[in-house]
Amino acid sequence: MKTIRRYHLQPNKLQTIQLPAGSEILSVQTKEDDAPILWALVDPAQPEEERTLSVYATGTEVPDDPGSYCGSFQLFGGSLEFHAFIEPSNESREG
């Protein structure tokens, strides 16, 4: 059975998160305290894998292939805007 889990992010340009294999990213948003959070539909029975997440501010350079778009979020009442992308899993790259 699958479940929805949340993962707290940093507004860093590059970070890694642990997700069960085959996870589906649902959304990236902030909560009241300006903490960016990623929600994913996961199968907790699957082994976890390290995934690389890139976060880019509006107006900054983005590589030609930043990965799959996860969502956008704003901090400090909308004065800062960020956009999250996740690289394919190792399983996806091998297949």
Side-chain angles (χ1 to χ4, degrees):
M1 178 162 289
K2 293 187 177 184
T3 186
I4 296 173
R5 289 191 178 163
R6 78 173 143 235
Y7 299 85
H8 294 271
L9 304 177
Q10 299 296 319
N12 299 341
K13 185 170 184 179
L14 191 64
Q15 58 197 288
T16 58
I17 57 175
Q18 295 288 116
L19 293 170
S23 294
E24 178 185 348
I25 307 300
L26 301 176
S27 180
V28 176
Q29 298 180 31
T30 54
K31 294 191 84 168
E32 313 77 45
D33 58 359
D34 278 341
I37 297 173
L38 178 145
W39 283 269
L41 180 63
V42 305
D43 180 348
Q46 294 298 313
E48 289 201 344
E49 60 185 10
E50 191 171 86
R51 301 288 299 274
T52 302
L53 187 85
S54 302
V55 177
Y56 301 95
T58 297
T60 61
E61 290 186 6
V62 176
D64 290 337
D65 186 11
S68 298
Y69 175 74
C70 298
S72 298
F73 59 94
Q74 300 175 0
L75 298 177
F76 306 114
S79 63
L80 296 175
E81 304 164 334
F82 296 92
H83 314 279
F85 296 83
I86 195 159
E87 292 182 6
S89 67
N90 289 332
E91 184 179 283
S92 298
R93 282 184 242 159
E94 294 167 359

